Amino acid sequence: MFFSVFKLIMIKIITRVPLLGSYMKLRARQIDIVDTIEQCEQIAVKFEKSTTYLPILGLDCEWVTQNGIRHPVALLQISDNNGMCSLIRLSKFKTIPSSLSDILSNSNIIKVGVAIMDDAHLLMSDYNINVSGCIDLRYLAQECCVEERSLAALAYKLLGCTLDKDWQVRASDWEAEELNDRQTEYAALDAYVAVKIFEQLRNKKISWWNWLFLSDKQKWDMVTNIYSNYKDLPYQNVRSNGNTKFKPKSNVRSYSTSTIKSTKVYDNCLMENVDGTVMSTCSHKKVDWYISQGLAKLVNDDPKTIRLNFPADLKNRKDDFSVLPRENICTVCGRSEHFRKKSIIPKEFVRHMPTEYKSHIPHDTLLLCYWCHIKSNAFDFIIRKKIFNICQIEEQNPNENQKVILLSQKLFSNTLNIFIYFRFQHM
């Protein structure tokens, strides 16, 4: 009891004294630079043991950008709550050990960081590594009414320390043969600080009574339940006031998270012709619009059904696809949240298609979750490279975040068939 009270008092004092907080909290107990597969497997075993009791890891990534083109992730930083930091030099690996992949994909082990879903996206795109159980610290800061959002600002606010964010270190050569001392300390602290920030935000959510009498494991379980809704949720960039807008990391996303639907996409409302024939399924928004314009009336509540006040022409409808209900699940993994639509035929190709085929775009759309969509995009990049090689066409810009060049009409038919073949090979 006395030790718990003393520890709580010390935490409160440390967070008020910057130098003391920096000295006591931001000295990693161990920093390992991992250059080989064998070392990585050994580190994975250590992390597996350390997360058995407190399943939390800090995670961050570093990469090199030259002439506006991002290279694959060069360095993966991982830290546990005890200060064991590992700098895994992915740029030196030909394959990723399954032991490391298993830890990163284990959703029961929480990974924390600022913009951590961006890092997860990069690891999936570059190395096909699935990272699950991610929580963005900005959501936790928002829950605790902390205005700061960047890692450095949160570290200064909650830990009383100043991180080294000199651009010369941030933009240094992370693919170098050897990392210097400044790079090593910078990279290790980015991962370790994330865990300590989470710890401080956790303490804000736990009452003094529970903090004194609950074990670390019980505190962890309590906070896990509180923040479970933020797990693997991409951070939405919202305005904190009239002047400020928080921006994501550059060269990370090739699309906006505003297109991600957290719940269902298909409402499966029904639209009937004037004679009662079901014409199609539609959304609640469309139902409300037709009723508000006086073009239809509500005839059923479950499922919500409207009937048009005028006859519609159905003679050109070639099948019953439009009237079939659509499930709100990921086509690949069956997940029931965080959706994004995936076009089987990319828009770069659709624009060259004959008009009669463009009218059936819903047939060519799959519903994927955020994570399967990232994996699919990684396959797309490989497939497009193969198409360029087959058609002997060079990209104008090899940056993977740029749109592919428009193919000529002469090559379109053959290229489209090749693309569809490869796409279904990887679904």
Side-chain angles (χ1 to χ4, degrees):
M1 175 65 181
F2 174 77
F3 177 75
S4 296
V5 174
F6 177 75
K7 185 178 179 181
L8 179 60
I9 294 173
M10 286 301 298
I11 287 177
K12 296 300 182 182
I13 293 175
I14 288 170
T15 56
R16 296 295 188 274
V17 183
L19 290 178
L20 185 60
S22 178
Y23 179 78
M24 296 189 67
K25 284 188 170 294
L26 298 179
R27 292 294 182 270
R29 178 173 59 85
Q30 177 182 348
I31 300 178
D32 296 310
I33 299 179
V34 182
D35 292 309
T36 65
I37 298 295
E38 293 73 20
Q39 291 175 339
C40 189
E41 290 176 342
Q42 294 172 4
I43 288 297
V45 172
K46 292 182 180 180
F47 279 123
E48 187 176 2
K49 291 181 180 179
S50 69
T51 55
T52 301
Y53 185 67
L54 289 180
I56 180 172
L57 295 172
L59 187 145
D60 195 26
C61 292
E62 304 294 341
W63 59 88
V64 175
T65 301
Q66 289 183 331
N67 300 322
I69 300 173
R70 182 187 66 81
H71 293 195
V73 172
L75 187 69
L76 171 62
Q77 305 108 273
I78 304 178
S79 174
D80 66 5
N81 190 54
N82 297 320
M84 182 177 71
C85 300
S86 293
L87 309 183
I88 304 174
R89 308 202 65 189
L90 297 178
S91 59
K92 292 182 175 290
F93 292 1
K94 292 184 178 179
T95 59
I96 306 300
S98 59
S99 53
L100 176 63
S101 298
D102 291 342
I103 291 176
L104 294 176
S105 63
N106 187 348
S107 61
N108 293 322
I109 300 176
I110 300 301
K111 294 86 181 175
V112 295
V114 170
I116 191 170
M117 289 304 297
D118 292 343
D119 294 330
H121 179 189
L122 291 181
L123 291 172
M124 173 61 77
S125 300
D126 296 342
Y127 300 100
N128 200 26
I129 300 176
N130 179 32
V131 184
S132 299
C134 300
I135 296 182
D136 197 312
L137 290 173
R138 292 175 292 185
Y139 277 125
L140 277 61
Q142 187 174 302
E143 278 278 327
C144 297
C145 300
V146 176
E147 295 182 359
E148 288 75 7
R149 292 294 183 268
S150 70
L151 187 70
L154 287 169
Y156 185 80
K157 174 73 174 182
L158 300 172
L159 304 176
C161 68
T162 302
L163 294 182
D164 181 5
K165 288 300 180 181
D166 189 336
W167 70 269
Q168 292 180 332
V169 183
R170 296 172 61 186
S172 59
D173 184 7
W174 297 104
E175 297 175 353
E177 189 63 28
E178 292 185 4
L179 299 178
N180 59 44
D181 292 341
R182 193 176 181 188
Q183 284 179 308
T184 300
E185 183 177 0
Y186 171 94
L189 284 183
D190 269 8
Y192 185 46
V193 162
V195 180
K196 291 305 176 184
I197 289 174
F198 177 88
E199 191 175 56
Q200 291 297 317
L201 294 172
R202 178 202 69 174
N203 293 341
K204 290 180 176 291
K205 277 294 183 180
I206 298 178
S207 66
W208 284 55
W209 180 265
N210 287 333
W211 202 98
L212 291 173
F213 293 102
L214 294 182
S215 67
D216 285 342
K217 184 65 168 63
Q218 290 173 320
K219 296 172 190 174
W220 168 257
D221 292 338
M222 178 183 295
V223 173
T224 300
N225 291 331
I226 294 174
Y227 294 134
S228 60
N229 292 335
Y230 297 125
K231 188 185 292 186
D232 293 327
L233 181 63
Y235 186 74
Q236 301 290 337
N237 297 296
V238 297
R239 293 183 181 274
S240 61
N241 54 50
N243 302 316
T244 305
K245 184 175 181 179
F246 300 105
K247 297 181 179 180
K249 292 180 179 179
S250 60
N251 277 333
V252 173
R253 288 196 188 100
S254 58
Y255 56 84
S256 170
T257 54
S258 63
T259 60
I260 298 173
K261 307 298 182 183
S262 58
T263 55
K264 64 181 182 179
V265 174
Y266 302 122
D267 295 326
N268 289 318
C269 299
L270 298 177
M271 180 183 293
E272 295 181 350
N273 205 346
V274 67
D275 59 358
T277 304
V278 177
M279 297 173 54
S280 67
T281 58
C282 60
S283 63
H284 284 294
K285 186 176 180 180
K286 180 175 283 190
V287 165
D288 294 339
W289 185 85
Y290 269 87
I291 294 176
S292 66
Q293 298 297 315
L295 301 175
K297 60 182 178 180
L298 185 67
V299 295
N300 196 3
D301 289 324
D302 189 21
K304 200 167 185 179
T305 307
I306 59 172
R307 182 171 299 167
L308 298 180
N309 296 332
F310 58 92
D313 185 10
L314 300 178
K315 64 181 181 180
N316 293 325
R317 191 169 71 184
K318 298 181 179 180
D319 54 52
D320 293 328
F321 177 82
S322 59
V323 302
L324 298 176
R326 306 181 202 180
E327 292 188 84
N328 288 285
I329 60 173
C330 174
T331 306
V332 177
C333 69
R335 192 188 295 265
S336 58
E337 57 185 357
H338 307 314
F339 298 120
R340 195 163 189 268
K341 291 183 179 180
K342 179 74 176 183
S343 298
I344 297 176
I345 303 176
K347 294 180 180 179
E348 293 91 336
F349 293 90
V350 171
R351 69 181 65 178
H352 296 292
M353 293 175 65
T355 304
E356 59 268 25
Y357 295 113
K358 292 182 182 180
S359 62
H360 294 283
I361 295 303
H363 294 67
D364 306 318
T365 302
L366 298 177
L367 194 62
L368 301 181
C369 67
Y370 173 80
W371 302 271
C372 288
H373 197 281
I374 291 175
K375 190 173 182 179
S376 176
N377 285 343
F379 282 128
D380 287 353
F381 184 66
I382 297 173
I383 295 169
R384 287 177 174 181
K385 288 289 187 182
K386 291 181 179 180
I387 292 176
F388 290 138
N389 291 334
I390 292 173
C391 298
Q392 297 181 348
I393 298 175
E394 294 184 359
E395 294 178 89
Q396 292 179 344
N397 188 340
N399 186 352
E400 62 181 298
N401 290 328
Q402 300 294 325
K403 289 187 177 181
V404 298
I405 59 172
L406 299 179
L407 303 180
S408 65
Q409 290 286 352
K410 183 177 180 181
L411 290 173
F412 169 72
S413 179
N414 181 41
T415 306
L416 180 58
N417 291 333
I418 295 172
F419 190 94
I420 294 173
Y421 169 76
F422 279 125
R423 174 68 69 84
F424 280 104
Q425 285 282 88
H426 290 83
M427 287 303 294

